[in-house]
Amino acid sequence: MSEPVAPASSMSPTEPPSFYDAVGGHETFEAIVRRFYEGVKDDDVLSPMYPEDDMDGAVWRLTAFLEQYWGGPTTYSEQRGHPRLRMRHQPFHVNPEARDRWMLHMRAAVVEAQLSPMHSATLMDYLERAAHSMINTFEPTPGG
Ligand code: HEM
């Protein structure tokens, strides 16, 4: 009798699948982040902060970070080192308005991904808390 063969991912017959695997792996995370950046592109508060000439890089960084956080490949840290997200956001004006816009586009992206209600709620809960913790100023949006 042959042994059951684990699929070529982090799934194994003895461990529960990671959140990353359970929601569909790379394809799902990349779709969410690409949809998120579609919203950012047309947002007058957020778009000035993002590198216009390196949106593919920005997509890669956020996708890889989220994949790693949820139990996928650790490519983010291999290429970018420790995430230190609060520190990496210091150059940007992240006030409550920016957080709300960020969440608006992220929520739309997660809804479109049609995860199960439990996975969707788990992901949104994390994103809400993470976005709140990224606030680094209460000064109004520059030029706004
Ligand atoms: C609260 C509102 C937020 C704003 C306005 C914001 C803005 C930005 C901007 C302008 C960048 C630079 C884009 C790039 O070149 O990669 C960035 C990078 C990044 N953000 Fe945010 N962000 C927010 C929240 C978050 C949250 C909640 C997370 C994680 C759950 C996150 C994760 C990241 C990551 C992983 C990067 C790339 C870091 C790197 O490796 O350089 N951001 N963010």
Side-chain angles (χ1 to χ4, degrees), residues 2 12-13 20 34 37-38 44-45 49 51 59 61-62 64 69 73 82 89 91 93 98-101 106 119 122 134:
S2 61
S12 89
Y20 172 82
R34 285 202 180 277
Y37 276 119
E38 283 299 306
D44 54 348
V45 171
M49 296 188 210
V59 168
R61 288 185 282 276
L62 185 53
Y69 180 87
H82 190 288
H89 285 76
H93 196 94
R99 175 207 53 195
D100 290 348
R101 297 287 186 102
M106 194 47 99
H119 288 127
T122 303
M134 230 56 87

Side-chain angles (χ1 to χ4, degrees), residues 72-144:
T74 53
T75 328
Y76 177 86
S77 280
E78 282 154 30
Q79 301 211 8
R80 305 283 297 162
H82 190 288
R84 298 189 206 288
L85 285 191
R86 265 191 66 80
M87 193 197 77
R88 288 195 207 259
H89 285 76
Q90 279 311 322
F92 310 119
H93 196 94
V94 187
N95 63 8
E97 185 182 25
R99 175 207 53 195
D100 290 348
R101 297 287 186 102
W102 196 98
M103 279 310 305
L104 178 78
H105 304 302
M106 194 47 99
R107 191 174 298 111
V110 172
V111 166
E112 238 173 73
Q114 298 191 314
L115 309 183
S116 76
M118 191 193 72
H119 288 127
S120 179
T122 303
L123 182 56
M124 287 308 301
D125 191 57
Y126 159 76
L127 291 167
E128 294 269 3
R129 278 182 290 113
H132 190 73
S133 77
M134 230 56 87
I135 291 176
N136 55 26
T137 177
F138 288 91
E139 294 296 320
T141 302

Side-chain angles (χ1 to χ4, degrees), residues 21-85:
D21 285 319
V23 299
H26 175 72
E27 210 178 295
T28 299
F29 282 91
E30 193 177 83
I32 290 173
V33 172
R34 285 202 180 277
R35 171 65 183 77
F36 164 75
Y37 276 119
E38 283 299 306
V40 167
K41 221 173 52 202
D42 299 327
D43 187 302
D44 54 348
V45 171
L46 297 181
S47 64
M49 296 188 210
Y50 285 88
E52 216 179 326
D53 55 351
D54 187 25
M55 284 314 269
D56 283 345
V59 168
W60 184 85
R61 288 185 282 276
L62 185 53
T63 304
F65 169 80
L66 290 173
E67 290 181 343
Q68 173 170 310
Y69 180 87
W70 290 104
T74 53
T75 328
Y76 177 86
S77 280
E78 282 154 30
Q79 301 211 8
R80 305 283 297 162
H82 190 288
R84 298 189 206 288
L85 285 191

